[in-house]
Amino acid sequence: MKRIVILISGRGSNMQALLEANLPCRIAAVISNRADAQGLEIARMHGIPVAVIPHNNYPDRAAFDAALAEIIDSYATDLVVLAGFMRILTANFVERYRGRLINIHPSLLPAYPGIDTHQRALQAGTRIHGCTVHFVTPDLDHGPIIIQAAVPVLRDDTPQSLSARVLCEEHRIYPQAVRWLCRNQVWLDEIGRVASDRLEQPGAAL
Ligand code: GAR
């Protein structure tokens, strides 16, 4: 059974969805870069070991990422799952976990990488919005896509109402993606594409 580590920075609702999804893996630990992340308490209540690595304690990103990698590796981790982890990771770190590091992002990538995705989608007048699970590459929010889910943008939406609609879909597709990875049904191939043992494209299985 694969061992996964979940990285969070705040609320932890995606982490909670993963903890409660009865996945075919062992969730070895939850790690946060912030001691006050609400998700830490949720993880503790689920009996998952937690660790905090405050990024402010390190002189630069490289030092923080080295400390993070050390603790991740101490759990004999097969898969690193970013769930609202709001730190940019160095290329060194990303390469170290090539094909074993995934992220969820609240937009239909490649649209709206970065922050404030819901507000930017509303400002642009877009009619369809959503979320994406992807392998992490050094190019921020641009890695190969594993699965996406779309939601309509409604006339009276605010960033909050749109975010809530997208979040429901995040909680559905992230466990699905992790399940595929844990069962070796989806992987990153040698040339950096998402490969699958399924007849259809993974992201088309919605
Ligand atoms: C989620 O919407 C996630 O997609 C987003 O942060 C939120 C975390 O919520 N991640 C990013 O924006 C990463 N670029 P959560 O802590 O309740 O899972």
Side-chain angles (χ1 to χ4, degrees), residues 7-16 39 82-87 103-107 112-118 131-132 134 140-141 163 166-167 170-171 174:
L7 270 51
I8 64 168
S9 295
R11 180 177 57 184
S13 72
N14 276 289
M15 174 211 72
Q16 184 169 6
L82 307 182
F85 186 68
M86 305 307 273
R87 297 289 302 167
N103 180 46
I104 189 155
H105 183 76
S107 77
Y112 310 116
I115 60 169
D116 297 331
T117 56
H118 309 301
C131 49
T132 303
H134 63 98
L140 183 71
D141 294 334
S163 152
V166 170
L167 195 62
E170 295 188 39
H171 296 166
Y174 218 4

mmCIF file of all heavy atoms in Angstrom, residues 7-16 39 82-87 103-107 112-118 131-132 134 140-141 163 166-167 170-171 174, ligand 1:
data_model
loop_
_atom_site.group_PDB
_atom_site.id
_atom_site.type_symbol
_atom_site.label_atom_id
_atom_site.label_comp_id
_atom_site.label_asym_id
_atom_site.label_seq_id
_atom_site.Cartn_x
_atom_site.Cartn_y
_atom_site.Cartn_z
ATOM 1 N N LEU A 7 0.369 18.013 2.332
ATOM 2 C CA LEU A 7 0.917 19.306 2.761
ATOM 3 C C LEU A 7 -0.191 20.348 2.729
ATOM 4 O O LEU A 7 -0.881 20.481 1.704
ATOM 5 C CB LEU A 7 2.056 19.726 1.824
ATOM 6 C CG LEU A 7 3.480 19.289 2.184
ATOM 7 C CD1 LEU A 7 3.574 17.811 2.462
ATOM 8 C CD2 LEU A 7 4.462 19.689 1.094
ATOM 9 N N ILE A 8 -0.356 21.071 3.820
ATOM 10 C CA ILE A 8 -1.403 22.097 3.907
ATOM 11 C C ILE A 8 -0.810 23.409 4.437
ATOM 12 O O ILE A 8 0.291 23.414 5.003
ATOM 13 C CB ILE A 8 -2.565 21.653 4.839
ATOM 14 C CG1 ILE A 8 -2.073 21.489 6.297
ATOM 15 C CG2 ILE A 8 -3.212 20.371 4.353
ATOM 16 C CD1 ILE A 8 -3.197 21.331 7.314
ATOM 17 N N SER A 9 -1.609 24.486 4.261
ATOM 18 C CA SER A 9 -1.226 25.768 4.875
ATOM 19 C C SER A 9 -2.364 26.374 5.672
ATOM 20 O O SER A 9 -2.140 27.351 6.391
ATOM 21 C CB SER A 9 -0.808 26.778 3.797
ATOM 22 O OG SER A 9 0.351 26.368 3.136
ATOM 23 N N GLY A 10 -3.596 25.870 5.505
ATOM 24 C CA GLY A 10 -4.723 26.554 6.145
ATOM 25 C C GLY A 10 -5.860 25.650 6.530
ATOM 26 O O GLY A 10 -5.685 24.681 7.266
ATOM 27 N N ARG A 11 -7.027 25.956 5.948
ATOM 28 C CA ARG A 11 -8.300 25.348 6.344
ATOM 29 C C ARG A 11 -8.296 23.821 6.297
ATOM 30 O O ARG A 11 -8.839 23.145 7.152
ATOM 31 C CB ARG A 11 -9.362 25.922 5.396
ATOM 32 C CG ARG A 11 -10.748 25.468 5.586
ATOM 33 C CD ARG A 11 -11.628 26.216 4.598
ATOM 34 N NE ARG A 11 -11.197 26.022 3.222
ATOM 35 C CZ ARG A 11 -11.745 26.615 2.169
ATOM 36 N NH1 ARG A 11 -12.758 27.440 2.330
ATOM 37 N NH2 ARG A 11 -11.293 26.377 0.951
ATOM 38 N N GLY A 12 -7.751 23.266 5.242
ATOM 39 C CA GLY A 12 -7.602 21.807 5.183
ATOM 40 C C GLY A 12 -8.836 21.046 4.749
ATOM 41 O O GLY A 12 -8.955 19.843 5.023
ATOM 42 N N SER A 13 -9.751 21.700 4.006
ATOM 43 C CA SER A 13 -10.960 20.953 3.618
ATOM 44 C C SER A 13 -10.653 19.887 2.558
ATOM 45 O O SER A 13 -11.263 18.816 2.565
ATOM 46 C CB SER A 13 -12.065 21.902 3.135
ATOM 47 O OG SER A 13 -11.764 22.445 1.882
ATOM 48 N N ASN A 14 -9.713 20.153 1.663
ATOM 49 C CA ASN A 14 -9.330 19.101 0.698
ATOM 50 C C ASN A 14 -8.636 17.948 1.416
ATOM 51 O O ASN A 14 -8.861 16.783 1.090
ATOM 52 C CB ASN A 14 -8.443 19.676 -0.399
ATOM 53 C CG ASN A 14 -9.256 20.296 -1.507
ATOM 54 O OD1 ASN A 14 -9.905 19.601 -2.280
ATOM 55 N ND2 ASN A 14 -9.247 21.622 -1.582
ATOM 56 N N MET A 15 -7.783 18.296 2.378
ATOM 57 C CA MET A 15 -7.147 17.249 3.193
ATOM 58 C C MET A 15 -8.213 16.392 3.876
ATOM 59 O O MET A 15 -8.137 15.161 3.870
ATOM 60 C CB MET A 15 -6.243 17.916 4.236
ATOM 61 C CG MET A 15 -5.642 16.960 5.236
ATOM 62 S SD MET A 15 -5.390 17.758 6.834
ATOM 63 C CE MET A 15 -7.073 17.914 7.424
ATOM 64 N N GLN A 16 -9.221 17.056 4.436
ATOM 65 C CA GLN A 16 -10.283 16.321 5.129
ATOM 66 C C GLN A 16 -11.019 15.398 4.154
ATOM 67 O O GLN A 16 -11.331 14.242 4.488
ATOM 68 C CB GLN A 16 -11.272 17.306 5.761
ATOM 69 C CG GLN A 16 -12.350 16.609 6.574
ATOM 70 C CD GLN A 16 -13.167 17.588 7.408
ATOM 71 O OE1 GLN A 16 -12.995 18.811 7.301
ATOM 72 N NE2 GLN A 16 -14.039 17.058 8.229
ATOM 73 N N GLY A 39 -6.407 23.015 9.520
ATOM 74 C CA GLY A 39 -6.427 21.612 9.107
ATOM 75 C C GLY A 39 -5.640 20.696 10.038
ATOM 76 O O GLY A 39 -5.909 19.487 10.093
ATOM 77 N N LEU A 82 -0.275 18.094 -2.383
ATOM 78 C CA LEU A 82 -0.419 19.489 -1.945
ATOM 79 C C LEU A 82 -1.913 19.823 -1.876
ATOM 80 O O LEU A 82 -2.618 19.708 -2.888
ATOM 81 C CB LEU A 82 0.271 20.439 -2.928
ATOM 82 C CG LEU A 82 1.745 20.139 -3.254
ATOM 83 C CD1 LEU A 82 2.296 21.224 -4.205
ATOM 84 C CD2 LEU A 82 2.593 20.073 -1.992
ATOM 85 N N ALA A 83 -2.386 20.204 -0.697
ATOM 86 C CA ALA A 83 -3.812 20.486 -0.520
ATOM 87 C C ALA A 83 -3.953 21.860 0.124
ATOM 88 O O ALA A 83 -4.023 21.985 1.342
ATOM 89 C CB ALA A 83 -4.457 19.396 0.334
ATOM 90 N N GLY A 84 -3.915 22.903 -0.725
ATOM 91 C CA GLY A 84 -3.936 24.258 -0.193
ATOM 92 C C GLY A 84 -2.617 24.608 0.465
ATOM 93 O O GLY A 84 -2.590 25.328 1.457
ATOM 94 N N PHE A 85 -1.520 24.102 -0.097
ATOM 95 C CA PHE A 85 -0.176 24.416 0.413
ATOM 96 C C PHE A 85 0.309 25.643 -0.345
ATOM 97 O O PHE A 85 0.553 25.572 -1.553
ATOM 98 C CB PHE A 85 0.766 23.228 0.192
ATOM 99 C CG PHE A 85 2.121 23.425 0.808
ATOM 100 C CD1 PHE A 85 2.275 23.462 2.184
ATOM 101 C CD2 PHE A 85 3.247 23.550 0.007
ATOM 102 C CE1 PHE A 85 3.531 23.645 2.766
ATOM 103 C CE2 PHE A 85 4.506 23.721 0.574
ATOM 104 C CZ PHE A 85 4.638 23.760 1.949
ATOM 105 N N MET A 86 0.385 26.784 0.357
ATOM 106 C CA MET A 86 0.556 28.054 -0.331
ATOM 107 C C MET A 86 2.008 28.534 -0.313
ATOM 108 O O MET A 86 2.295 29.687 -0.003
ATOM 109 C CB MET A 86 -0.385 29.106 0.280
ATOM 110 C CG MET A 86 -1.844 28.679 0.279
ATOM 111 S SD MET A 86 -2.475 28.163 -1.333
ATOM 112 C CE MET A 86 -2.992 29.732 -1.980
ATOM 113 N N ARG A 87 2.932 27.658 -0.642
ATOM 114 C CA ARG A 87 4.347 28.031 -0.776
ATOM 115 C C ARG A 87 4.817 27.608 -2.158
ATOM 116 O O ARG A 87 4.493 26.496 -2.612
ATOM 117 C CB ARG A 87 5.225 27.305 0.254
ATOM 118 C CG ARG A 87 4.939 27.620 1.667
ATOM 119 C CD ARG A 87 5.349 29.016 2.068
ATOM 120 N NE ARG A 87 6.753 29.305 1.864
ATOM 121 C CZ ARG A 87 7.273 30.529 1.917
ATOM 122 N NH1 ARG A 87 6.501 31.559 2.156
ATOM 123 N NH2 ARG A 87 8.554 30.718 1.745
ATOM 124 N N ASN A 103 -0.933 18.495 -7.126
ATOM 125 C CA ASN A 103 -1.526 19.705 -6.551
ATOM 126 C C ASN A 103 -2.961 19.838 -7.033
ATOM 127 O O ASN A 103 -3.313 19.335 -8.097
ATOM 128 C CB ASN A 103 -0.722 20.927 -7.024
ATOM 129 C CG ASN A 103 -1.256 22.235 -6.469
ATOM 130 O OD1 ASN A 103 -1.548 22.336 -5.266
ATOM 131 N ND2 ASN A 103 -1.399 23.239 -7.319
ATOM 132 N N ILE A 104 -3.779 20.519 -6.223
ATOM 133 C CA ILE A 104 -5.114 20.915 -6.710
ATOM 134 C C ILE A 104 -5.155 22.423 -6.804
ATOM 135 O O ILE A 104 -4.644 23.127 -5.910
ATOM 136 C CB ILE A 104 -6.260 20.356 -5.836
ATOM 137 C CG1 ILE A 104 -7.599 20.608 -6.527
ATOM 138 C CG2 ILE A 104 -6.235 20.927 -4.415
ATOM 139 C CD1 ILE A 104 -8.694 19.654 -6.124
ATOM 140 N N HIS A 105 -5.725 22.904 -7.899
ATOM 141 C CA HIS A 105 -5.766 24.347 -8.147
ATOM 142 C C HIS A 105 -7.203 24.746 -8.496
ATOM 143 O O HIS A 105 -7.861 24.076 -9.285
ATOM 144 C CB HIS A 105 -4.816 24.701 -9.303
ATOM 145 C CG HIS A 105 -4.749 26.173 -9.557
ATOM 146 N ND1 HIS A 105 -4.042 27.035 -8.737
ATOM 147 C CD2 HIS A 105 -5.340 26.942 -10.502
ATOM 148 C CE1 HIS A 105 -4.189 28.274 -9.182
ATOM 149 N NE2 HIS A 105 -4.971 28.237 -10.256
ATOM 150 N N PRO A 106 -7.665 25.887 -7.923
ATOM 151 C CA PRO A 106 -9.070 26.265 -8.121
ATOM 152 C C PRO A 106 -9.327 27.037 -9.410
ATOM 153 O O PRO A 106 -9.829 28.165 -9.389
ATOM 154 C CB PRO A 106 -9.362 27.113 -6.879
ATOM 155 C CG PRO A 106 -8.051 27.739 -6.546
ATOM 156 C CD PRO A 106 -6.996 26.752 -6.939
ATOM 157 N N SER A 107 -8.976 26.438 -10.539
ATOM 158 C CA SER A 107 -9.373 26.981 -11.847
ATOM 159 C C SER A 107 -9.204 25.868 -12.870
ATOM 160 O O SER A 107 -8.587 24.842 -12.582
ATOM 161 C CB SER A 107 -8.510 28.180 -12.269
ATOM 162 O OG SER A 107 -7.243 27.746 -12.727
ATOM 163 N N TYR A 112 -6.092 31.018 -15.435
ATOM 164 C CA TYR A 112 -5.979 31.516 -14.063
ATOM 165 C C TYR A 112 -5.019 30.743 -13.168
ATOM 166 O O TYR A 112 -5.412 30.216 -12.126
ATOM 167 C CB TYR A 112 -7.361 31.584 -13.398
ATOM 168 C CG TYR A 112 -8.378 32.298 -14.252
ATOM 169 C CD1 TYR A 112 -9.488 31.616 -14.743
ATOM 170 C CD2 TYR A 112 -8.208 33.630 -14.592
ATOM 171 C CE1 TYR A 112 -10.406 32.253 -15.549
ATOM 172 C CE2 TYR A 112 -9.128 34.273 -15.407
ATOM 173 C CZ TYR A 112 -10.222 33.572 -15.877
ATOM 174 O OH TYR A 112 -11.133 34.192 -16.694
ATOM 175 N N PRO A 113 -3.759 30.637 -13.533
ATOM 176 C CA PRO A 113 -2.776 30.169 -12.551
ATOM 177 C C PRO A 113 -2.635 31.244 -11.468
ATOM 178 O O PRO A 113 -3.127 32.366 -11.646
ATOM 179 C CB PRO A 113 -1.482 30.047 -13.382
ATOM 180 C CG PRO A 113 -1.661 31.010 -14.509
ATOM 181 C CD PRO A 113 -3.146 31.048 -14.805
ATOM 182 N N GLY A 114 -2.004 30.907 -10.351
ATOM 183 C CA GLY A 114 -1.775 31.914 -9.306
ATOM 184 C C GLY A 114 -2.949 32.049 -8.345
ATOM 185 O O GLY A 114 -3.714 31.106 -8.171
ATOM 186 N N ILE A 115 -3.084 33.251 -7.766
ATOM 187 C CA ILE A 115 -4.081 33.445 -6.697
ATOM 188 C C ILE A 115 -5.319 34.189 -7.212
ATOM 189 O O ILE A 115 -5.356 34.615 -8.371
ATOM 190 C CB ILE A 115 -3.471 34.189 -5.484
ATOM 191 C CG1 ILE A 115 -2.954 35.547 -5.909
ATOM 192 C CG2 ILE A 115 -2.379 33.355 -4.839
ATOM 193 C CD1 ILE A 115 -2.574 36.450 -4.736
ATOM 194 N N ASP A 116 -6.322 34.317 -6.340
ATOM 195 C CA ASP A 116 -7.564 35.061 -6.629
ATOM 196 C C ASP A 116 -8.248 34.564 -7.903
ATOM 197 O O ASP A 116 -8.773 35.350 -8.705
ATOM 198 C CB ASP A 116 -7.276 36.569 -6.756
ATOM 199 C CG ASP A 116 -6.751 37.159 -5.459
ATOM 200 O OD1 ASP A 116 -7.114 36.630 -4.382
ATOM 201 O OD2 ASP A 116 -5.974 38.124 -5.508
ATOM 202 N N THR A 117 -8.275 33.266 -8.094
ATOM 203 C CA THR A 117 -8.788 32.707 -9.349
ATOM 204 C C THR A 117 -10.274 33.001 -9.550
ATOM 205 O O THR A 117 -10.699 33.285 -10.664
ATOM 206 C CB THR A 117 -8.563 31.187 -9.385
ATOM 207 O OG1 THR A 117 -9.179 30.611 -8.223
ATOM 208 C CG2 THR A 117 -7.091 30.846 -9.393
ATOM 209 N N HIS A 118 -11.055 32.920 -8.454
ATOM 210 C CA HIS A 118 -12.505 33.091 -8.609
ATOM 211 C C HIS A 118 -12.841 34.543 -8.968
ATOM 212 O O HIS A 118 -13.648 34.804 -9.857
ATOM 213 C CB HIS A 118 -13.224 32.661 -7.331
ATOM 214 C CG HIS A 118 -12.800 31.296 -6.875
ATOM 215 N ND1 HIS A 118 -12.941 30.177 -7.663
ATOM 216 C CD2 HIS A 118 -12.197 30.865 -5.744
ATOM 217 C CE1 HIS A 118 -12.468 29.131 -7.031
ATOM 218 N NE2 HIS A 118 -11.992 29.521 -5.868
ATOM 219 N N CYS A 131 -11.872 23.388 -11.423
ATOM 220 C CA CYS A 131 -10.670 23.041 -10.668
ATOM 221 C C CYS A 131 -9.898 21.950 -11.407
ATOM 222 O O CYS A 131 -10.452 21.242 -12.262
ATOM 223 C CB CYS A 131 -11.032 22.583 -9.252
ATOM 224 S SG CYS A 131 -12.333 21.344 -9.177
ATOM 225 N N THR A 132 -8.621 21.845 -11.046
ATOM 226 C CA THR A 132 -7.697 20.971 -11.766
ATOM 227 C C THR A 132 -6.785 20.257 -10.779
ATOM 228 O O THR A 132 -6.234 20.901 -9.873
ATOM 229 C CB THR A 132 -6.797 21.818 -12.701
ATOM 230 O OG1 THR A 132 -7.607 22.572 -13.592
ATOM 231 C CG2 THR A 132 -5.826 20.939 -13.490
ATOM 232 N N HIS A 134 -3.199 18.299 -10.919
ATOM 233 C CA HIS A 134 -2.111 18.139 -11.887
ATOM 234 C C HIS A 134 -0.814 17.703 -11.199
ATOM 235 O O HIS A 134 -0.636 17.936 -9.991
ATOM 236 C CB HIS A 134 -1.887 19.462 -12.638
ATOM 237 C CG HIS A 134 -1.444 20.602 -11.754
ATOM 238 N ND1 HIS A 134 -0.123 20.977 -11.622
ATOM 239 C CD2 HIS A 134 -2.142 21.429 -10.938
ATOM 240 C CE1 HIS A 134 -0.034 21.998 -10.773
ATOM 241 N NE2 HIS A 134 -1.235 22.286 -10.338
ATOM 242 N N LEU A 140 5.097 27.020 -12.336
ATOM 243 C CA LEU A 140 3.996 27.120 -11.368
ATOM 244 C C LEU A 140 2.615 26.954 -12.017
ATOM 245 O O LEU A 140 2.280 27.648 -12.969
ATOM 246 C CB LEU A 140 4.062 28.484 -10.658
ATOM 247 C CG LEU A 140 3.018 28.718 -9.577
ATOM 248 C CD1 LEU A 140 3.313 27.865 -8.351
ATOM 249 C CD2 LEU A 140 2.959 30.192 -9.208
ATOM 250 N N ASP A 141 1.818 26.031 -11.477
ATOM 251 C CA ASP A 141 0.432 25.790 -11.916
ATOM 252 C C ASP A 141 0.330 25.426 -13.410
ATOM 253 O O ASP A 141 -0.662 25.757 -14.062
ATOM 254 C CB ASP A 141 -0.461 27.025 -11.626
ATOM 255 C CG ASP A 141 -0.630 27.285 -10.137
ATOM 256 O OD1 ASP A 141 -0.524 26.328 -9.345
ATOM 257 O OD2 ASP A 141 -0.849 28.448 -9.767
ATOM 258 N N SER A 163 -16.513 30.182 -5.366
ATOM 259 C CA SER A 163 -15.495 29.374 -4.693
ATOM 260 C C SER A 163 -16.129 28.157 -4.010
ATOM 261 O O SER A 163 -15.597 27.046 -4.060
ATOM 262 C CB SER A 163 -14.773 30.258 -3.677
ATOM 263 O OG SER A 163 -14.292 29.507 -2.624
ATOM 264 N N VAL A 166 -16.999 25.555 -6.636
ATOM 265 C CA VAL A 166 -15.780 24.886 -7.123
ATOM 266 C C VAL A 166 -15.238 23.924 -6.058
ATOM 267 O O VAL A 166 -14.815 22.806 -6.365
ATOM 268 C CB VAL A 166 -14.709 25.931 -7.516
ATOM 269 C CG1 VAL A 166 -13.362 25.254 -7.794
ATOM 270 C CG2 VAL A 166 -15.160 26.724 -8.732
ATOM 271 N N LEU A 167 -15.304 24.376 -4.793
ATOM 272 C CA LEU A 167 -14.729 23.558 -3.709
ATOM 273 C C LEU A 167 -15.424 22.190 -3.602
ATOM 274 O O LEU A 167 -14.770 21.175 -3.342
ATOM 275 C CB LEU A 167 -14.818 24.313 -2.377
ATOM 276 C CG LEU A 167 -13.960 23.772 -1.238
ATOM 277 C CD1 LEU A 167 -12.471 23.842 -1.570
ATOM 278 C CD2 LEU A 167 -14.236 24.534 0.057
ATOM 279 N N GLU A 170 -13.748 20.141 -6.009
ATOM 280 C CA GLU A 170 -12.388 19.794 -5.556
ATOM 281 C C GLU A 170 -12.449 18.568 -4.653
ATOM 282 O O GLU A 170 -11.634 17.643 -4.770
ATOM 283 C CB GLU A 170 -11.759 20.968 -4.794
ATOM 284 C CG GLU A 170 -11.529 22.203 -5.641
ATOM 285 C CD GLU A 170 -10.736 23.270 -4.892
ATOM 286 O OE1 GLU A 170 -9.805 22.935 -4.154
ATOM 287 O OE2 GLU A 170 -11.056 24.466 -5.059
ATOM 288 N N HIS A 171 -13.443 18.573 -3.753
ATOM 289 C CA HIS A 171 -13.545 17.473 -2.785
ATOM 290 C C HIS A 171 -13.923 16.161 -3.461
ATOM 291 O O HIS A 171 -13.742 15.088 -2.894
ATOM 292 C CB HIS A 171 -14.573 17.831 -1.703
ATOM 293 C CG HIS A 171 -14.170 19.024 -0.882
ATOM 294 N ND1 HIS A 171 -15.025 19.695 -0.062
ATOM 295 C CD2 HIS A 171 -12.971 19.660 -0.770
ATOM 296 C CE1 HIS A 171 -14.386 20.696 0.531
ATOM 297 N NE2 HIS A 171 -13.143 20.701 0.104
ATOM 298 N N TYR A 174 -10.277 15.351 -6.109
ATOM 299 C CA TYR A 174 -8.951 15.064 -5.527
ATOM 300 C C TYR A 174 -8.860 13.624 -5.020
ATOM 301 O O TYR A 174 -7.899 12.915 -5.352
ATOM 302 C CB TYR A 174 -8.604 16.090 -4.435
ATOM 303 C CG TYR A 174 -7.125 16.483 -4.429
ATOM 304 C CD1 TYR A 174 -6.242 16.004 -5.398
ATOM 305 C CD2 TYR A 174 -6.611 17.338 -3.474
ATOM 306 C CE1 TYR A 174 -4.906 16.372 -5.397
ATOM 307 C CE2 TYR A 174 -5.264 17.707 -3.470
ATOM 308 C CZ TYR A 174 -4.420 17.219 -4.437
ATOM 309 O OH TYR A 174 -3.090 17.578 -4.436
HETATM 310 C C1 GAR B 1 -8.393 25.181 -2.328
HETATM 311 O O1 GAR B 1 -9.413 25.842 -3.035
HETATM 312 C C2 GAR B 1 -7.246 24.857 -3.246
HETATM 313 O O2 GAR B 1 -7.650 24.520 -4.546
HETATM 314 C C3 GAR B 1 -6.476 26.137 -3.238
HETATM 315 O O3 GAR B 1 -6.533 26.595 -1.903
HETATM 316 C C4 GAR B 1 -7.738 26.119 -1.320
HETATM 317 C C5 GAR B 1 -7.370 25.390 -0.049
HETATM 318 O O4 GAR B 1 -8.523 25.045 0.667
HETATM 319 N N1 GAR B 1 -5.125 25.952 -3.676
HETATM 320 C C6 GAR B 1 -4.451 26.859 -4.355
HETATM 321 O O5 GAR B 1 -4.886 27.957 -4.631
HETATM 322 C C7 GAR B 1 -3.060 26.434 -4.750
HETATM 323 N N2 GAR B 1 -2.560 27.267 -5.810
HETATM 324 P P1 GAR B 1 -8.463 23.904 1.751
HETATM 325 O O6 GAR B 1 -7.321 24.265 2.692
HETATM 326 O O7 GAR B 1 -9.798 23.991 2.440
HETATM 327 O O8 GAR B 1 -8.243 22.608 1.047
#
